[in-house]
């Protein structure tokens, strides 16, 4: 498992619907919008919010696009075992 902190600019896509999954993300600061087939599903702004995990869980391409709604910082976690990560880091995610 590896982690990297990414600074994302307003409007930049963090995840694009249909791309291959490669880990998941934890919102550190800022705000992101979750879009599926052009429809806004939700806005995440709570630090610790987890997103992008479904691709790894269901072993399929990304189901949504996630885009920054302002300057945003995320932690990209490269792992194939989400359950193990959460067990080892329970205070990291909400």
């Amino acid at each position: 498992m590896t982690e990297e902190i990414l600074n994302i600019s307003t409007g930049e896509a963090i995840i694009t619907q249909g791309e291959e999954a490669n880990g998941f993300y934890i919102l550190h600061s800022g705000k992101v919008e979750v879009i599926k087939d052009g429809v806004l599903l939700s806005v995440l702004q709570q630090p610790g919010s987890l997103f992008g995990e479904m691709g790894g869980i269901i072993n399929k391409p990304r189901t949504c696009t996630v885009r920054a709604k302002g300057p945003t910082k995320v932690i990209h976690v490269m792992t194939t075992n989400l359950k193990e990560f959460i067990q080892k880091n329970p205070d990291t995610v909400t």
Side-chain angles (χ1 to χ4, degrees), residues 18-34:
E19 73 183 4
E20 184 178 330
N22 61 349
F24 63 94
Y25 298 83
I26 302 167
L27 183 64
H28 183 274
S29 62
K31 188 185 303 188
V32 298
E33 57 187 3
V34 181

Side-chain angles (χ1 to χ4, degrees), residues 4-78:
E4 67 177 321
I5 296 176
L6 304 173
N7 292 301
I8 311 298
S9 301
T10 303
E12 184 178 347
I14 303 164
I15 292 174
T16 302
Q17 185 175 348
E19 73 183 4
E20 184 178 330
N22 61 349
F24 63 94
Y25 298 83
I26 302 167
L27 183 64
H28 183 274
S29 62
K31 188 185 303 188
V32 298
E33 57 187 3
V34 181
I35 302 163
K36 182 173 180 131
D37 299 325
V39 176
L40 178 65
L41 298 180
S42 66
V43 174
L44 304 176
Q45 57 189 5
Q46 179 69 36
S49 295
L50 188 74
F51 61 94
E53 74 283 1
M54 286 308 299
I57 291 172
I58 63 175
N59 200 27
K60 301 255 185 202
R62 301 285 190 193
T63 58
C64 297
T65 294
V66 178
R67 191 170 38 226
K69 287 191 60 78
T72 299
K73 186 181 288 188
V74 299
I75 302 167
H76 183 203
V77 180
M78 301 284 290

